[in-house]
């Protein structure tokens, strides 16, 4: 099957959040919003809005080929959004566990709006079997611009933000992992805490997303509604980009966190302390080495490079230590192979990855979408070989499932545990990481 014909029409600027608000109750409603800041920075140039996909796949995957569906011609021609749960990628290490979320969710969008923040324009992207079909889909996408609505910031949609276990249980888990590291079992593991609850009657997950996007938007903010499930992500972390034309692969693992402070002097001191922290730099370096190894599985030998090491990135509620690793893909390697070589992301597993995932499973219930990946393929209308891949790490993410009582939600936050981790300090770090979601859900 040949790749679809792509039609791109350019329109004047419109705020993507306003367009997403007009479409958010439609099936397959999708909003991938770049955070505020430099529009040329990673995650800062493009936002995408769409709805009503024409093909959807939701369900289990073959452990031996988790991303096999991306090789299916129905999903390899671009305009595709997917979500792989953490548990699907961890299963070779953990074995079968209770399913809390589908392994894989895939949807193909024949019509999409791509918002180019750098150029200040909107692309109405249509795909079809021929030029006429592609142009018709492009017109359908362009018509969505007229449905944009500017909503006031809604009040918090939940009354409570309840931990699923007391902080002391998390601190005990951290202490156990520190002891395992001391015994030589592993070097690092990312251990998470979980919170859960329900939205108040009549309230909707999009309201959580709107509160985040307006007040604390991140580089890889996302809302996705598919059937009786919805996802809200405020992730600052790039998992992967892959350009099928040049073969360039890039990953930007985050390891190392400090909370922001309202006082500029104290805030700058916290960022400086993070940059100078031997513990955080060592934690970051372990994951850089892990990602170098993962990328090498899909790369031309000798092309894996660490382009930037230990950069401090500042976000609305936290400072992060971020590094950048790149490689050139081997001939014949596509998006599916790049994802399979590297999933789950090293920054949210640990080192060695296989053993870290086993240790994580001993302390946590299944994670579901949290710390999996949300990815898009050819969303901006780029056509060669299905288009470019961009994938985020689903941290700072809440998942929602609808039942007869409304929407129930779950959210997690974790910390990388190393040999000199202090259990109480790691617990406090998870609190800093979950703060923006907590404020969006329950008002603080």
């Amino acid at each position: 099957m040949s790749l679809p014909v792509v039609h791109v029409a350019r329109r004047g600027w419109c705020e993507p959040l306003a367009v997403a608000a007009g479409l958010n109750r439609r099936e397959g409603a999708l909003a991938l919003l770049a955070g505020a800041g430099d529009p040329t920075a990673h995650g800062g140039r493009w936002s995408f809005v769409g709805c009503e996909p024409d093909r959807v796949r939701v369900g289990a995957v073959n452990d031996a080929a988790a991303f096999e569906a991306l090789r299916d011609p129905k999903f390899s021609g671009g305009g595709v959004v997917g979500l792989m749960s953490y548990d699907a990628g961890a299963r070779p290490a953990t074995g079968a566990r209770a399913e809390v979320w589908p392994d894989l969710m895939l949807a193909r969008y024949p019509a999409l709006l791509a918002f180019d923040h750098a150029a200040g324009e909107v692309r109405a992207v249509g795909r079809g079997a021929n030029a006429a079909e592609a142009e018709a889909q492009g017109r359908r996408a362009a018509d969505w611009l007229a449905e944009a609505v500017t909503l006031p910031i809604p009040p918090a949609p939940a009354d409570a933000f309840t931990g699923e276990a007391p902080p002391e249980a998390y601190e005990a888990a951290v202490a156990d992992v520190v002891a395992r590291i001391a015994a030589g079992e592993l070097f690092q593991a990312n251990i998470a805490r979980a919170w859960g609850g329900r939205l108040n009657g009549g309230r909707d997950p999009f309201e959580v997303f709107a509160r985040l996007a307006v007040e604390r938007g991140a580089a890889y903010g996302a809302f996705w509604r598919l059937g009786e499930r919805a996802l809200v992500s405020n992730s600052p972390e790039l998992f992967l980009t892959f350009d099928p034309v040049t073969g360039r692969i890039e990953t930007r693992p985050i390891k190392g966190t400090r909370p922001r402070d309202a006082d500029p002097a104290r805030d700058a001191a916290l960022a400086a302390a993070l940059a100078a922290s031997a513990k955080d730099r060592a934690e970051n370096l372990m994951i850089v080495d892990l990602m170098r190894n993962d990328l090498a599985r899909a790369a031309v030998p000798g092309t894996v490079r660490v382009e930037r090491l230990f950069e401090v990135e500042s976000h609305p509620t936290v400072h992060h230590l971020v590094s950048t690793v790149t490689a050139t893909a081997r001939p014949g390697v596509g998006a599916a192979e790049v994802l399979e070589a590297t999933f789950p992301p090293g920054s949210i597993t640990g080192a060695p990855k296989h053993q870290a995932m086993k240790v994580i499973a001993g302390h946590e219930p299944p994670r579901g979408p949290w710390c999996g990946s949300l990815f898009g393929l050819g969303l901006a209308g780029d056509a060669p070989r299905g288009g470019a891949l961009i994938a985020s790490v689903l941290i700072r993410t809440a998942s929602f499932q609808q039942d007869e009582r409304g929407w129930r939600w779950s959210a997690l936050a974790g910390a990388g545990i190393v040999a000199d981790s202090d259990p109480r300090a790691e617990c406090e770090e998870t609190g800093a990481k979950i703060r923006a979601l907590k404020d969006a859900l329950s008002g603080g």
Side-chain angles (χ1 to χ4, degrees):
M1 182 181 292
S2 60
L3 292 175
V5 176
V6 180
H7 177 85
V8 178
R10 287 169 168 78
R11 297 289 187 268
W13 183 254
C14 186
E15 285 299 324
L17 181 60
V19 180
L23 304 178
N24 85 85
R25 295 298 181 109
R26 297 193 186 186
E27 175 56 21
L30 171 76
L32 308 177
L33 300 193
D38 180 0
T40 65
H42 79 284
R45 176 169 180 176
W46 294 100
S47 292
F48 304 95
V49 173
C51 63
E52 297 166 349
D54 64 346
R55 290 190 181 275
V56 173
R57 173 180 169 175
V58 177
V61 299
N62 178 349
D63 292 345
F67 292 93
E68 183 64 34
L70 286 183
R71 301 181 183 95
D72 183 337
K74 299 183 184 70
F75 291 105
S76 62
V80 172
V81 173
L83 190 164
M84 177 67 80
S85 76
Y86 168 85
D87 303 300
R91 194 177 299 123
T94 65
R97 307 185 77 199
E99 181 180 299
V100 298
W101 194 268
D103 286 352
L104 181 66
M105 298 167 59
L106 275 180
R108 187 180 72 175
Y109 289 83
L112 270 175
L113 291 171
F115 298 77
D116 186 341
H117 293 260
E121 67 177 19
V122 183
R123 295 183 184 182
V125 181
R127 287 179 169 81
N130 53 54
E133 286 185 11
E135 186 174 356
Q137 292 291 350
R139 287 196 301 270
R140 184 164 75 95
D143 288 345
W144 295 337
L145 295 170
E147 300 187 39
V149 293
T150 301
L151 299 176
I153 300 175
D159 292 331
F161 193 86
T162 305
E164 295 185 359
E168 293 78 11
Y170 181 77
E171 292 176 18
V174 171
D176 176 72
V177 174
V178 170
R180 290 171 180 268
I181 293 170
E185 187 175 332
L186 71 166
F187 301 110
Q188 181 179 163
N190 188 285
I191 302 297
R193 297 171 64 194
W195 294 261
R198 285 189 172 273
L199 299 187
N200 294 333
R203 306 302 296 273
D204 187 83
F206 188 83
E207 298 175 56
V208 180
F209 176 68
R211 285 171 59 83
L212 286 166
V214 170
E215 298 181 332
R216 292 178 174 177
Y220 302 99
F223 171 81
W224 197 17
R225 183 196 306 272
L226 205 58
E228 296 180 341
R229 296 183 178 88
L231 185 91
V232 172
S233 182
N234 199 44
S235 175
E237 184 169 2
L238 175 69
F239 176 29
L240 291 169
T241 60
F242 169 61
D243 185 332
V245 177
T246 65
R248 178 183 169 88
I249 311 169
E250 179 177 320
T251 183
R252 293 174 56 89
I254 289 175
K255 269 289 164 241
T257 302
R258 291 293 187 279
R260 299 296 304 267
D261 195 286
D263 178 79
R266 288 196 294 268
D267 190 61
L270 286 165
L274 175 61
S277 167
K279 171 188 177 294
D280 289 291
R281 290 162 73 94
E283 184 180 338
N284 190 286
L285 188 60
M286 287 183 204
I287 303 306
V288 166
D289 284 341
L290 188 156
M291 293 308 300
R292 288 173 61 221
N293 181 69
D294 282 356
L295 289 188
R297 296 174 185 167
V300 174
T303 64
V304 179
R305 297 281 186 274
V306 179
E307 290 195 352
R308 289 179 292 277
L309 194 62
F310 308 146
E311 290 190 327
V312 174
E313 286 187 0
S314 297
H315 301 275
T317 59
V318 291
H319 301 289
H320 279 313
L321 204 60
V322 185
S323 295
T324 302
V325 187
T326 65
T328 301
R330 294 194 309 270
V333 164
E337 290 78 20
V338 172
L339 285 165
E340 279 195 305
T342 54
F343 190 81
S347 63
I348 48 73
T349 52
K353 182 187 277 190
H354 189 89
Q355 181 61 23
M357 290 188 293
K358 290 177 66 175
V359 171
I360 290 167
H363 286 288
E364 300 179 23
R367 288 177 167 181
W370 186 76
C371 282
S373 181
L374 185 68
F375 55 90
L377 189 63
L379 301 184
D382 45 330
R385 295 177 59 191
L389 168 75
I390 185 165
S392 67
V393 182
L394 286 175
I395 57 175
R396 320 296 146 78
T397 295
S399 59
F400 298 79
Q401 298 194 58
Q402 192 174 31
D403 57 27
E404 66 282 355
R405 295 172 53 197
W407 291 95
R408 53 188 173 89
W409 60 267
S410 176
L412 298 92
I417 311 306
V418 292
D420 55 351
S421 286
D422 175 74
R424 179 162 295 181
E426 301 293 357
C427 189
E428 291 172 353
E429 181 176 312
T430 64
K433 290 175 175 176
I434 204 70
R435 195 175 97 199
L437 264 177
K438 180 179 181 182
D439 290 348
L441 277 157
S442 63

